[in-house]
Amino acid sequence: KRACSRIAPFLPPGLCDSTEMTDRETWATRIGFILASVGSAVGLGNIWRFPYQTAEFGGAAFLLVYLVAVLVIGVPAILGEFVIGRRADISAISAFDALDRPGWRIVGALGVFGGFWTLSYYSVVGGWVFRYIGASATGSYLESPGAYFISVSAGPEAVAFHGAFMLVTVGIVAFGIRGGIEKATKVMVPSIVLLLVGLAAYAFTLSGAEAGYQYFLSPDIDLLLSNYQTVVPAAVGQALFSLSLGFAVMITYASYIDDDENLFIDGGVIALTNTFIGITAGLVVFPLLAVQGGGYGEAGPGAIFVSIPTALSEVPFGTAVGFVFFLIVAVAALSSAISLLEVVVSYLVDSYGFERRRTSVLLGGIVFALGVPSATETAWLEWFDAIGVNLLLPLAVLLTVVFVGWVLADDAVEEVRRGADGFDALGPIWLWSIRSIVFLAVLGTVALSVFELTGAPL
Ligand code: TRP
């Protein structure tokens, strides 16, 4: 069913010359799959969103709830996506056909659409980061960080940097699973870990850092108990976003693995590494914020782009530290962006026989156009973010959870056990957790988001 050839006359030449349908790729190694998934998980969510969410919701108390949410909600949910992807052996939307439940294609479609949507403004923020790498080298943001951010975050130059970020993303995805994503993330993820640990060690030497650790690491339980209605959904949302759930990334990535892998171990390692990197990012950001003395609560998208440069003007080696910091953020953002683009590319390649390279370029161009409003006006970016992360994401996760928990049900248990000898007992426990804790927590998050977005009183 090469639908592509049927509409070929209306498409740019060569778009349908694919061989991937008959000869589908797989990851070269198991560690390659794990690193690619970690690369997807670790991104702006860890280094940009996580610290400012933590700051907004009261520091260590938020961290505590986030850790619990990763363990009891994030890990079962990521296994759910792995099960769909590996059993179907095909990307997001068609996976539901392959599992004989074509009516559920809408879940895959929602994920693909959500990922496309999210990538459009994610790339704008990625463009800011590119810009800040250069600005670190010249020190141009040190004079007055707030004014600098306002001058570069929106407008023609922001559009250009957003374009540059998409160009690199397309460049990696065009080379496919082994030659592009796996190769790139094999270098990217270890670099992120090394550099970030280095910066955390540096931050440890700063005078005044203790206040930052205190804020980040010792939870104020009273604060948590009195604010749980806002803290808990925010932490659950952050856990889902951080593990790249909902937008079919993990379905797609798992469709390229072999049947003999132990999914429990893979999921656990990915969640653990992602959490470790998130915490390490906090150990860099919070001491810097403490030194800068301007408080932790500078909320919104500008958070690290204003507070970090403010701190950098006051610490030893500020320029070099800034350069490394924004370099890490850029690499992390890219390794996530490629996963979002891969979901859509693989759908067209797998299901319609599109040729990968040309498809990557074409879709990258469309995502670029969709992101232009966000690069022109920051209010648009916040709107895209609110719809993407607060609505589309939990909704897609909810539908996925229902599909795995009640539609696949016993088949899901069979699949999760495949290749996991010795872990048999975990299968039914996992299904039970999907049907209870995970389902309720995600349902609650969706409900709260809908109330919040529609302004209905609760
Ligand atoms: N997890 C990434 C981050 O923390 C962002 C991301 C990449 C993502 N792919 C995703 C989020 C899919 C949700 C769904 O920055």
Side-chain angles (χ1 to χ4, degrees):
K1 69 177 178 37
R2 304 212 26 164
C4 193
S5 357
R6 258 180 276 134
I7 50 169
F10 308 103
L11 298 171
L15 205 58
C16 298
D17 307 338
S18 173
T19 52
E20 274 189 64
M21 263 183 115
T22 42
D23 196 9
R24 200 168 187 269
E25 275 197 279
T26 55
W27 303 103
T29 59
R30 180 175 182 191
I31 190 80
F33 160 66
I34 293 179
L35 286 179
S37 305
V38 170
S40 170
V42 172
L44 294 169
N46 300 61
I47 310 180
W48 167 69
R49 200 169 188 276
F50 176 62
Y52 91 72
Q53 290 274 305
T54 306
E56 201 168 316
F57 293 101
F62 178 85
L63 174 63
L64 191 69
V65 184
Y66 167 77
L67 292 178
V68 175
V70 166
L71 193 70
V72 302
I73 297 159
V75 173
I78 203 172
L79 288 177
E81 291 203 13
F82 285 169
V83 159
I84 297 176
R86 183 171 73 175
R87 199 167 181 83
D89 264 332
I90 193 162
S91 56
I93 303 181
S94 313
F96 295 88
D97 293 328
L99 297 174
D100 289 327
R101 270 76 170 199
W104 286 81
R105 287 171 62 100
I106 181 78
V107 179
L110 182 67
V112 170
F113 175 76
F116 208 68
W117 177 276
T118 302
L119 182 56
S120 77
Y121 72 87
Y122 199 87
S123 164
V124 173
V125 181
W128 295 350
V129 179
F130 272 16
R131 175 76 184 245
Y132 270 67
I133 299 177
S136 303
T138 58
S140 32
Y141 54 55
L142 295 174
E143 187 84 21
S144 65
Y148 184 80
F149 178 70
I150 290 173
S151 73
V152 304
S153 57
E157 290 180 34
V159 174
F161 278 94
H162 156 54
F165 186 89
M166 276 316 298
L167 214 59
V168 181
T169 306
V170 166
I172 298 173
V173 173
F175 285 96
I177 291 298
R178 289 191 187 194
I181 297 179
E182 185 166 355
K183 252 200 192 127
T185 48
K186 241 185 184 150
V187 181
M188 291 164 116
V189 173
S191 318
I192 295 171
V193 173
L194 274 178
L195 293 174
L196 208 54
V197 169
L199 279 193
Y202 159 84
F204 184 71
T205 66
L206 295 174
S207 62
E210 309 81 39
Y213 294 130
Q214 171 78 19
Y215 184 78
F216 185 48
L217 298 175
S218 49
D220 180 346
I221 300 296
D222 289 336
L223 189 81
L224 176 59
L225 291 179
S226 55
N227 284 319
Y228 69 92
Q229 329 86 294
T230 52
V231 174
V232 173
V236 172
Q238 175 62 23
L240 300 178
F241 183 78
S242 177
L243 286 172
S244 295
L245 294 168
F247 298 150
V249 166
M250 296 303 170
I251 296 180
T252 305
Y253 275 13
S255 72
Y256 296 111
I257 58 179
D258 293 327
D259 280 347
D260 54 0
E261 288 193 27
N262 185 330
L263 295 180
F264 292 109
I265 293 185
D266 289 5
V269 168
I270 291 163
L272 211 69
T273 316
N274 179 53
T275 307
F276 169 77
I277 296 178
I279 292 181
T280 312
L283 295 178
V284 174
V285 171
F286 284 99
L288 279 172
L289 297 189
V291 168
Q292 166 253 145
Y296 306 99
E298 163 88 51
I304 63 163
F305 295 98
V306 179
S307 334
I308 295 289
T310 308
L312 291 174
S313 61
E314 294 167 23
V315 297
F317 314 112
T319 323
V321 171
F323 183 80
V324 175
F325 179 79
F326 286 109
L327 188 69
I328 299 172
V329 183
V331 172
L334 277 171
S335 64
S336 301
I338 55 180
S339 71
L340 288 167
L341 187 60
E342 170 63 21
V343 169
V344 200
V345 169
S346 69
Y347 168 59
L348 293 182
V349 167
D350 283 352
S351 306
Y352 298 106
F354 279 61
E355 193 271 335
R356 173 176 284 272
R357 292 194 188 187
R358 293 186 174 89
T359 307
S360 309
V361 173
L362 182 74
L363 290 174
I366 300 176
V367 172
F368 169 73
L370 189 63
V372 168
S374 300
T376 313
E377 175 63 62
T378 312
W380 276 109
L381 190 147
E382 293 187 49
W383 184 75
F384 269 82
D385 180 59
I387 303 280
V389 175
N390 298 339
L391 188 66
L392 298 177
L393 176 79
L395 198 60
V397 178
L398 183 67
L399 294 174
T400 309
V401 164
V402 170
F403 179 76
V404 171
W406 284 278
V407 180
L408 281 187
D410 294 338
D411 288 353
V413 174
E414 182 193 303
E415 184 63 36
V416 84
R417 279 172 163 170
R418 199 191 301 272
D421 294 334
F423 287 66
D424 276 351
L426 281 181
I429 299 177
W430 166 71
L431 186 66
W432 172 84
S433 77
I434 287 273
R435 289 175 165 182
S436 56
I437 307 173
V438 177
F439 173 71
L440 290 175
V442 178
L443 184 67
T445 310
V446 172
L448 282 172
S449 297
V450 170
F451 283 127
E452 200 146 304
L453 286 171
T454 57
L458 197 61

